[in-house]
């Protein structure tokens, strides 16, 4: 069949990004982290003191927002840039995590970022992770995965990730953040997080990282 689009959606913190990255590497595909784009937009709003409830601020924020991905030749990792600055650390702070779902619920923000995501994946050979990839961005994706894991497992994993970056956050705060994002993401009017009918559910609570990657890669190879 040739190159396909793989959409990986699911709840916050269930390992979508690391899984998608590993699947892309295995298949020689491009990985696109749509969450990083909503996070970068949020950082832009926070840095410029723009209010999500003021339509003029939202318009101003979107006009001055430029998000891009660049491959770092030294480590072969794809890095996120906001208006020319590398922001991968800044967009994963708790401050951004606590505000991102509010910004991501704005229809104007979704419209712009979805259009950019569709342009980025035009050539196929792409693994894209997010909340609405299989439902809105690429409803025609050849392989759709819906990842889940129980809330506590997700929070423990996220806490370890943040600790590695030097941020010590109480588990309770992480559980609250994940639960609140899931709630806002699942109930918003535009592009809510849903499991579409043709998505394959992968519960990662009790399987290893290598197993979940192998499962998706095998599914992809059945189609390719
Ligand atoms: O994937 P990640 O957890 O980094 O995404 C951060 C936030 O961005 C999510 O909680 C959600 O509010 C928003 N998001 C979204 N649609 C996507 C990807 C992420 O609304 N496709």
């Amino acid at each position: 069949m040739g190159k396909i689009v793989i959409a990986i959606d699911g709840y916050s913190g269930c390992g979508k990004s690391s899984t998608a990255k590993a699947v892309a590497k295995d298949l020689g595909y491009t990985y696109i982290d749509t969450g990083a784009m909503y996070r970068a937009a949020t950082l832009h709003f926070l840095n410029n003191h723009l209010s999500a409830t003021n339509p003029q601020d939202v318009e101003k924020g979107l006009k001055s927002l430029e998000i891009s991905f660049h491959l770092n030749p030294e480590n072969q990792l794809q890095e996120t840039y906001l208006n020319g600055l590398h922001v991968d650390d800044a967009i994963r702070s708790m401050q951004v995590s606590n505000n991102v779902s509010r910004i991501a619920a704005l229809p104007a923000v979704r419209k712009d970022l979805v259009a950019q995501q569709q342009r980025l994946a035009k050539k196929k050979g792409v693994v894209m992770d997010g909340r609405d990839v299989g439902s809105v961005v690429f409803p025609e994706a050849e392989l759709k995965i819906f990842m889940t894991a129980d809330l506590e497992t997700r929070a423990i994993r996220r806490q370890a990730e943040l600790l590695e970056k030097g941020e010590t956050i109480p588990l309770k705060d992480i559980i609250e953040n994940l639960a609140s994002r899931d709630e806002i993401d699942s109930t918003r009017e535009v592009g809510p997080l849903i499991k579409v009918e043709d998505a394959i559910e992968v519960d990662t609570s009790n399987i290893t990282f290598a197993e979940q990657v192998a499962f998706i890669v095998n599914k992809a190879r059945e189609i390719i």
Side-chain angles (χ1 to χ4, degrees), residues 53-212:
T53 52
N54 176 340
Q56 278 166 346
D57 270 12
V58 174
E59 198 187 324
K60 207 161 114 192
L62 285 173
K63 258 197 193 145
S64 52
L65 174 71
E66 201 205 287
I67 301 168
S68 55
F69 294 110
H70 300 282
L71 195 70
N72 179 334
E74 277 171 27
N75 54 18
Q76 289 300 306
L77 288 179
Q78 188 147 270
E79 297 179 337
T80 315
Y81 281 74
L82 165 63
N83 293 343
L85 290 179
H86 178 214
V87 290
D88 275 300
D89 283 336
I91 61 174
R92 294 195 173 82
S93 68
M94 271 313 267
Q95 199 204 2
V96 169
S97 294
N98 285 331
N99 286 281
V100 61
S101 290
R102 231 166 21 87
I103 302 292
L106 297 171
V109 170
R110 300 205 73 78
K111 186 166 170 262
D112 277 20
L113 295 194
V114 166
Q116 187 178 354
Q117 290 152 15
Q118 289 170 337
R119 284 195 301 274
L120 285 171
K122 229 166 75 217
K123 286 195 206 132
K124 299 215 173 183
V126 155
V127 184
M128 193 180 266
D129 83 307
R131 305 292 185 289
D132 60 342
V133 181
S135 56
V136 175
V137 185
F138 268 100
E140 70 282 13
E142 289 86 352
L143 178 59
K144 298 180 188 177
I145 303 290
F146 189 82
M147 276 178 60
T148 63
D150 66 66
L151 183 59
E152 197 172 326
T153 307
R154 292 190 266 142
I156 291 169
R157 288 179 188 159
R158 178 51 54 94
Q159 190 185 39
E161 262 172 40
L162 287 165
L163 195 63
E164 233 171 70
K165 283 195 223 128
E167 261 194 280
T168 310
I169 312 281
L171 196 63
K172 174 179 111 344
D173 293 5
I174 298 181
I175 290 179
E176 261 171 39
N177 172 260
L178 295 179
S180 137
R181 283 201 281 145
D182 287 347
E183 167 71 16
I184 301 174
D185 294 345
S186 308
T187 54
R188 67 179 169 231
E189 273 180 27
V190 182
L193 167 66
I194 47 159
K195 177 185 171 296
V196 286
E197 239 175 59
D198 51 346
I200 303 168
E201 184 162 335
V202 179
D203 184 338
T204 68
S205 312
N206 298 305
I207 57 173
T208 65
F209 180 71
E211 281 168 342
Q212 72 211 32

